[in-house]
């Protein structure tokens, strides 16, 4: 996969791509991540990329021509299938299912907006999908783009140490993840659940499933409406609901 991030602040991403899992994925050539400075495609010597909105109002709007030039340059870097994503509070809210879809793409072009956003004509003609990371507003799209890229890259085969690491994450099956424990066996008077030390993988699997169900019911019950539940799951949830009444 290749990811090109279109931004007014390319230095924002220098630390992100040089640390942790993302750095290792790049070094192992599992993914290419690069930035494109939208200002490089402005027409004037001052590299102006914004202008006042028609009709008046506060703030500035990003001009469509530099955006179009940056997207065209990104597509030249990887001819073929590309998906242009605009990070905006008005977009579809990012979730794990959408992340899984994006992880199958060959080339993502991620556009970071600023000011009052981008000219509507650029959205309509150049953007394939609009994505939000939540119902709040950031100064620019860079932080949102970083979240998107990190969530997608970790699903690319070979990026994580084990494929099971991603498979067991929260939301991977629609549920929140079960509790995790490591050494020492006792901490602040609290012991690791005995079942995890039993070596009985069947019982451990069942315990983890039930813990995921319980945690989801307690913290994000609305998620249960979207999850395929087995008969045993429904019986366990019914038992929990009766205990709480």
């Amino acid at each position: 996969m290749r990811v090109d991030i279109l931004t007014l602040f390319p230095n924002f991403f220098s630390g992100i791509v040089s640390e942790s899992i993302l750095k290792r994925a790049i070094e192992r050539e599992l993914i290419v991540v690069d930035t494109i400075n939208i200002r490089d495609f402005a027409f004037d010597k001052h590299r102006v990329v914004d202008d006042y909105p028609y009709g008046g109002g506060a703030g500035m709007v990003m001009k469509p021509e530099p955006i179009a030039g940056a997207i065209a340059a990104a597509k030249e870097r990887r001819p073929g299938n590309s998906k242009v994503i605009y990070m905006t509070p008005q977009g579809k809210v990012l979730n794990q299912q959408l992340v899984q879809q994006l992880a199958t793409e060959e080339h993502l072009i991620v556009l970071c907006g600023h000011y009052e956003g981008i000219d509507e004509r650029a959205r309509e003609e150049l953007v394939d999908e609009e994505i939000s990371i939540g119902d709040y507003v950031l100064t620019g799209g860079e932080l949102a783009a970083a979240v998107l890229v990190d969530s997608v890259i970790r699903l690319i085969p070979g990026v994580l140490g084990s494929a099971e690491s991603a498979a067991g994450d929260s939301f991977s099956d629609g549920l929140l993840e079960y509790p995790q424990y490591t050494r020492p066996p006792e901490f602040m008077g609290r012991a690791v659940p005995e079942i995890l030390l039993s070596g009985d993988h069947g019982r451990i699997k069942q315990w983890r499933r039930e813990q995921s169900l319980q945690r989801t019911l307690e913290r994000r019950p609305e998620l249960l409406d979207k999850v395929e539940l087995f008969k045993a799951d429904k019986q366990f949830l019914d038992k929990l609901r009766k205990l709480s009444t």
Side-chain angles (χ1 to χ4, degrees):
M1 175 187 280
R2 179 183 181 94
V3 178
D4 285 298
I5 304 171
L6 315 188
T7 174
L8 299 177
F9 303 98
N11 289 338
F12 177 93
F13 297 93
S14 59
I16 295 174
V17 299
S18 61
E19 300 289 344
S20 190
I21 289 174
L22 183 50
K23 176 186 178 182
R24 294 197 296 271
I26 294 171
E27 290 176 342
R28 294 166 59 194
E29 300 183 350
L30 297 173
I31 185 168
V32 175
V33 180
D34 204 356
T35 57
I36 292 178
N37 191 337
I38 299 172
R39 292 188 189 278
D40 291 341
F41 301 89
F43 296 146
D44 66 309
K45 64 179 181 179
H46 300 294
R47 301 203 302 173
V48 174
V49 295
D50 61 313
D51 208 336
Y52 295 103
Y54 279 119
M60 305 290 279
V61 177
M62 291 181 67
K63 296 164 63 67
E65 304 101 312
I67 292 172
I71 291 174
K75 289 185 175 181
E76 288 179 3
R77 294 182 174 186
R78 174 83 183 255
N81 296 323
S82 300
K83 179 180 281 289
V84 179
I85 297 171
Y86 174 42
M87 306 306 301
T88 168
Q90 299 182 27
K92 181 189 303 182
V93 177
L94 185 68
N95 58 30
Q96 193 65 16
Q97 287 68 43
L98 180 53
V99 170
Q100 290 168 349
Q101 294 173 20
L102 295 175
T104 65
E105 297 288 340
E106 298 176 4
H107 185 197
L108 296 180
I109 300 173
V110 185
L111 172 60
C112 304
H114 263 273
Y115 315 121
E116 297 303 313
I118 67 174
D119 186 290
E120 186 67 17
R121 292 164 295 182
R123 296 174 76 151
E124 293 174 345
E125 296 295 330
L126 303 173
V127 172
D128 297 315
E129 189 158 12
E130 299 183 7
I131 294 179
S132 167
I133 62 168
D135 297 334
Y136 47 87
V137 179
L138 299 170
T139 303
E142 283 74 19
L143 280 170
V147 170
L148 175 76
V149 172
D150 183 89
S151 64
V152 169
I153 285 175
R154 63 194 314 277
L155 295 187
I156 294 174
V159 170
L160 298 181
S162 168
E164 294 180 358
S165 296
D169 286 340
S170 290
F171 309 112
S172 58
D173 61 355
L175 301 173
L176 300 184
E177 188 178 10
Y178 48 80
Q180 296 278 16
Y181 298 86
T182 187
R183 295 181 178 84
E186 187 172 320
F187 174 70
M188 297 184 71
R190 300 177 66 87
V192 174
E194 290 186 10
I195 191 169
L196 298 178
L197 309 175
S198 68
D200 188 329
H201 298 295
R203 290 180 58 218
I204 291 172
K205 182 177 180 180
Q206 179 184 355
W207 180 86
R208 286 176 167 170
R209 177 70 177 182
E210 291 176 349
Q211 289 293 308
S212 287
L213 290 165
Q214 181 172 350
R215 182 158 288 190
T216 304
L217 178 64
E218 293 172 349
R219 303 183 183 188
R220 296 287 305 277
E222 74 279 5
L223 295 176
L224 293 171
D225 296 332
K226 306 174 185 178
V227 178
E228 181 181 357
L229 298 174
F230 302 106
K231 182 178 179 181
D233 296 336
K234 296 176 181 178
Q235 292 175 341
F236 179 74
L237 289 169
D238 287 342
K239 179 179 177 182
L240 290 178
R241 292 186 179 105
K242 289 177 182 178
L243 290 174
S244 64
T245 57

